[in-house]
Amino acid sequence: MDERATGTKVRPGGIGAGLIAVCLWGLAPVATRSLVSELAPLPLLALRQLLAAVVLLPWAVPALRRTDARDLPRFIVAGLLGMVGYNLPVTIGLQWLPASSTGLLLATEPVWVLVIRHVFLGERAGRRFLAGTGVALAGVAVIAGPAALSPGSGTRSVAGAALVLLATLAFGGYTVVLRPLSEKYGPVSATATSSVAGALPYLALAGAVRPPRLSQPAWAELLFLALGSTVAGMLLWNRAIVRGGSARISRLLYLEPVVSVLGAMVFLGERATAAVLAGGVLVIAGVLITGDSANGGTPDERDMVAGSGSAARAGRRRGRGDPGVRTRDSRRPG
């Protein structure tokens, strides 16, 4: 799609910021897979989300002060879907599933966003939508299928894949719930507020979570997940959307599973089997086939979380742009 035709002004720096964000998100399964060997999923998530919430408070507090009371339940639901419904299943699933396979399964997120929009918002599903969804699901079956046939570890591998797919569904719901709030309050403020709201349940674990005795590499991985993947990735993605336009920048997400597979091979010594590679090709092909078949827009869940180009333009027309977007120094969850 030509950004000039949509009215989105392309400015330098957007693609670079978007690439960095995609690399941070692609390496998140790799860091999580390594970290769960030293730290249980719940303490890991509590430390990660609470640390990220503290960093995001400067964006969340001003938004809360001007938030309509009727929108608070939506913020809470979005936060729970994103911070708990997405991150918890992924973190648990990574105990039993290779990081490379997890990254490829997470690539189905745009398809699930379209499925949710079709089921709950009544958007029409065209042939491309159905064909792309079928191809992506076939890729999921190829990735998880061979492990299911082997005794012992096969059940855990299937459970891990099921948890990751559950997480992608939750994240799809998160984006659909949050999108109107991004349009109303600005993408950075809305995302930060939902992230802080979603981190509140982890306060219940704060008293039980003592400072863990982790190795130095494990502490580095924890800080990377909290400050790199969750916070820096969000801020960079918002900056990329503002500078480069949603249609152009959203295509960078197709590189995320590639980063996950390469990162798992380099840092974890995982081997990409023929089944994983074939399944990954099918998943990405399915996402590409689905394309913009629903509602004429790119099925980019993080693009919707961060605020689409149309949402940003609507905010500027109403004169209520997000402060973080105006300064363009600004991101995210899970």
Side-chain angles (χ1 to χ4, degrees):
M1 181 183 296
D2 189 350
E3 297 296 340
R4 292 173 296 181
T6 64
T8 302
K9 183 178 180 181
V10 177
R11 283 171 275 184
I15 293 179
L19 280 172
I20 296 174
V22 166
C23 288
L24 292 172
W25 288 332
L27 290 174
V30 179
T32 303
R33 171 70 173 176
S34 176
L35 191 53
V36 291
S37 64
E38 293 193 36
L39 189 61
L42 283 178
L44 188 164
L45 280 175
L47 289 170
R48 173 184 176 180
Q49 302 303 336
L50 291 175
L51 179 58
V54 170
V55 176
L56 290 170
L57 275 176
W59 286 277
V61 171
L64 283 172
R65 290 175 179 173
R66 58 190 176 94
T67 295
D68 190 325
R70 293 172 295 182
D71 292 328
L72 287 177
R74 184 181 286 268
F75 271 119
I76 294 172
V77 171
L80 291 176
L81 286 170
M83 299 297 98
V84 180
Y86 174 78
N87 283 304
L88 183 58
V90 168
T91 305
I92 296 175
L94 273 164
Q95 295 180 107
W96 308 317
L97 199 66
S100 55
S101 299
T102 300
L104 292 170
L105 292 176
L106 291 176
T108 62
E109 287 172 353
V111 174
W112 301 125
V113 171
L114 291 181
V115 170
I116 292 172
R117 286 161 60 181
H118 170 65
V119 173
F120 293 100
L121 302 182
E123 295 183 355
R124 298 179 61 184
R127 293 181 179 178
R128 283 183 60 191
F129 169 78
L130 296 175
T133 302
V135 172
L137 290 177
V140 170
V142 170
I143 293 173
L149 299 178
S150 60
S153 63
T155 302
R156 288 190 173 186
S157 297
V158 173
L163 285 170
V164 172
L165 289 176
L166 176 64
T168 62
L169 280 170
F171 199 76
Y174 165 78
T175 64
V176 172
V177 172
L178 192 66
R179 185 174 186 178
L181 299 174
S182 294
E183 295 177 353
K184 184 175 183 179
Y185 297 101
V188 177
S189 292
T191 309
T193 302
S194 65
S195 299
V196 172
L200 292 179
Y202 295 105
L203 286 174
L205 300 173
V209 177
R210 300 178 181 178
R213 296 181 178 179
L214 301 176
S215 62
Q216 290 185 352
W219 275 112
E221 289 160 355
L222 180 61
L223 291 175
F224 167 78
L225 289 171
L227 305 182
S229 178
T230 300
V231 177
M234 178 180 69
L235 299 178
L236 286 166
W237 187 255
N238 275 277
R239 180 173 183 175
I241 293 297
V242 171
R243 288 179 172 267
S246 60
R248 172 177 294 186
I249 298 301
S250 64
R251 298 188 183 103
L252 297 176
L253 284 176
Y254 299 132
L255 297 175
E256 186 176 341
V258 177
V259 175
S260 296
V261 172
L262 292 177
M265 295 173 66
V266 172
F267 296 107
L268 301 179
E270 294 183 3
R271 293 183 178 181
T273 64
V276 168
L277 292 176
V281 170
L282 287 173
V283 166
I284 296 174
V287 174
L288 291 172
I289 291 171
T290 303
D292 56 359
S293 58
N295 216 24
T298 303
D300 172 16
E301 72 289 353
R302 293 194 180 95
D303 186 17
M304 286 188 283
V305 174
S308 63
S310 61
R313 292 192 297 276
R316 287 195 293 270
R317 286 196 297 268
R318 291 192 299 267
R320 297 201 301 268
D322 180 57
V325 174
R326 285 200 300 271
T327 59
R328 294 193 299 277
D329 288 331
S330 38
R331 192 213 126 75
R332 154 217 135 120

